[in-house]
């Protein structure tokens, strides 16, 4: 198995562009931060080509400018499956489940064109398979286009500079996000700082029955949204079935 050193700003974007243009089966990109450069590149691929983006969508990263939530939303509109893992730090590009680039470079302007970044590219279906298994074992949360649109719209009207600590509690967000995520946010906002899954069910299930009477697996949907709140940085999983609300102080990201 031969590996090739790939360096930014010289060759990272070129390797990825070549892979996208040659892809026949699938593309997967996993990176905590995403910029407009990825949207520009993925526009060159056939819309029917299965493409997945796994990223981190923590509120602090989005409002601090590390990730472009509008570009991520537009990718979802362009048939890119968007998922999130709250503690993702790896940067991984996989083409056709065999061509692999493991690198320090995020798909951002800095990661591809400005910073000194290094990675190794290789051809190995076994490493690709194992990497995909690790990502799926983290149970990434699936974002719909409508959720990402609400997130992007909300982020667009938030202040970028503040002069005092700015805390974002979950109770200030549920009206903007709506849908299942907003429904669970609304339930969590009524609970103590630390709470159980049973308590979430008690509040959320009656509301879900009214808003989504044709959904026959509301408990599964509620658990999925709790994962989404964790990936936003608003919730901590304490022990199985027990959670803690987090109030995110964004000053560190916005200074």
């Amino acid at each position: 198995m031969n590996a090739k050193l790939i360096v930014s700003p010289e060759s990272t974007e070129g390797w990825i562009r070549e892979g996208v243009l040659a892809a026949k089966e699938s593309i997967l990109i996993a990176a905590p931060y995403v910029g407009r450069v990825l949207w520009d590149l993925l526009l060159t691929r056939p819309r029917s080509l299965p493409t997945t983006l796994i990223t981190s969508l923590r509120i602090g990263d989005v409002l601090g400018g590390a990730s472009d939530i509008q570009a991520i939303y537009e990718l979802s509109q362009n048939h890119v499956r968007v998922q999130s893992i709250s503690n993702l730090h790896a940067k991984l590009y996989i083409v056709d489940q065999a061509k692999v680039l493991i690198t320090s470079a995020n798909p951002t302007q800095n990661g591809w064109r400005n910073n000194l970044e290094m990675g190794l590219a290789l051809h190995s279906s076994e490493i690709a398979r194992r990497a995909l298994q690790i990502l799926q074992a983290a149970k990434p949360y699936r974002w719909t286009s409508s959720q990402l649109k609400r997130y992007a719209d909300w982020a667009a009207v938030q202040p970028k500079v503040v002069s005092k600590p700015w805390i974002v509690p979950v109770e200030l967000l549920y009206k903007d996000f709506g849908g299942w995520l907003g429904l669970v946010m609304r339930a969590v906002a009524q609970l103590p700082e630390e709470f159980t899954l049973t308590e979430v069910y008690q509040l959320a299930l009656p509301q879900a029955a009214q808003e989504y009477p044709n959904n026959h697996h509301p408990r599964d949907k509620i658990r999925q949204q709790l994962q989404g709140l964790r990936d936003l940085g608003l919730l901590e999983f304490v022990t199985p079935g027990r959670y803690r609300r987090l109030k995110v102080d964004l000053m560190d990201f916005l200074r």
Side-chain angles (χ1 to χ4, degrees):
M1 175 173 49
N2 293 324
K4 180 180 179 181
L5 184 65
I6 304 295
V7 179
S8 291
E10 286 82 9
S11 55
T12 301
E13 185 176 3
W15 186 96
I16 297 164
R17 183 176 299 278
E18 181 179 319
V20 166
L21 292 175
K24 302 296 183 184
E25 299 175 10
S26 63
I27 299 168
L28 180 135
I29 297 165
Y33 307 138
V34 175
R36 177 65 55 176
V37 292
L38 182 62
W39 180 84
D40 292 338
L41 176 57
L42 290 182
L43 281 183
T44 64
R45 87 195 202 289
R47 288 165 63 92
S48 60
L49 184 69
T51 305
T52 300
L53 170 64
I54 303 177
T55 186
S56 170
L57 287 173
R58 296 174 68 88
I59 288 175
D61 296 333
V62 168
L63 295 186
S67 269
D68 187 333
I69 186 63
Q70 181 65 29
I72 294 171
Y73 160 64
E74 291 173 16
L75 283 170
S76 74
Q77 289 288 92
N78 197 41
H79 299 276
V80 174
R81 180 186 181 95
V82 178
Q83 299 176 303
S84 64
I85 296 174
S86 60
N87 63 343
L88 180 68
H89 196 262
K91 295 87 175 175
L92 178 70
Y93 304 82
I94 300 177
V95 177
D96 292 341
Q97 302 182 62
K99 301 173 186 175
V100 181
L101 173 61
I102 303 170
T103 177
S104 62
N106 284 292
T108 62
Q109 176 78 17
N110 284 334
W112 285 3
R113 299 175 181 175
N114 297 331
N115 295 345
L116 176 60
E117 311 275 3
M118 296 187 189
L120 289 177
L122 52 120
H123 194 287
S124 171
S125 58
E126 176 58 26
I127 288 179
R129 183 187 64 81
R130 181 63 183 133
L132 291 170
Q133 286 179 340
I134 292 169
L135 291 170
Q136 292 308 310
K139 298 181 179 179
Y141 177 81
R142 171 72 186 277
W143 288 82
T144 65
S145 285
S146 60
Q147 285 177 317
L148 291 167
K149 177 67 163 59
R150 293 188 183 104
Y151 194 174
D153 288 347
W154 174 81
V157 299
Q158 302 310 307
K160 294 298 185 286
V161 178
V162 292
S163 58
K164 58 184 178 180
W166 184 35
I167 306 298
V168 180
V170 67
E171 55 265 28
L172 296 183
L173 296 173
Y174 66 80
K175 292 180 181 178
D176 296 288
F177 278 79
W180 276 97
L181 192 60
L183 184 151
V184 175
M185 282 182 174
R186 189 160 63 244
V188 168
Q190 300 175 60
L191 292 170
E193 180 178 336
E194 193 163 314
F195 57 90
T196 65
L197 180 59
T198 299
E199 290 174 310
V200 179
Y201 285 155
Q202 289 172 347
L203 290 175
L205 283 173
Q207 192 65 35
Q210 292 182 25
E211 296 186 24
Y212 303 99
N214 296 323
N215 188 291
H216 302 299
H217 304 282
R219 292 173 184 262
D220 292 343
K221 292 291 291 185
I222 289 168
R223 290 195 301 272
Q224 290 170 4
Q225 309 321 306
L226 290 170
Q227 184 177 339
L229 291 183
R230 181 196 65 186
D231 288 359
L232 285 169
L234 296 171
L235 205 66
E236 179 183 14
F237 286 21
V238 181
T239 58
R242 181 170 290 275
Y243 310 88
R244 181 182 296 115
R245 282 194 299 168
L246 302 175
K247 292 186 176 182
V248 183
D249 186 346
L250 298 178
M251 281 297 291
D252 290 338
F253 299 97
L254 300 179
R255 285 194 178 108

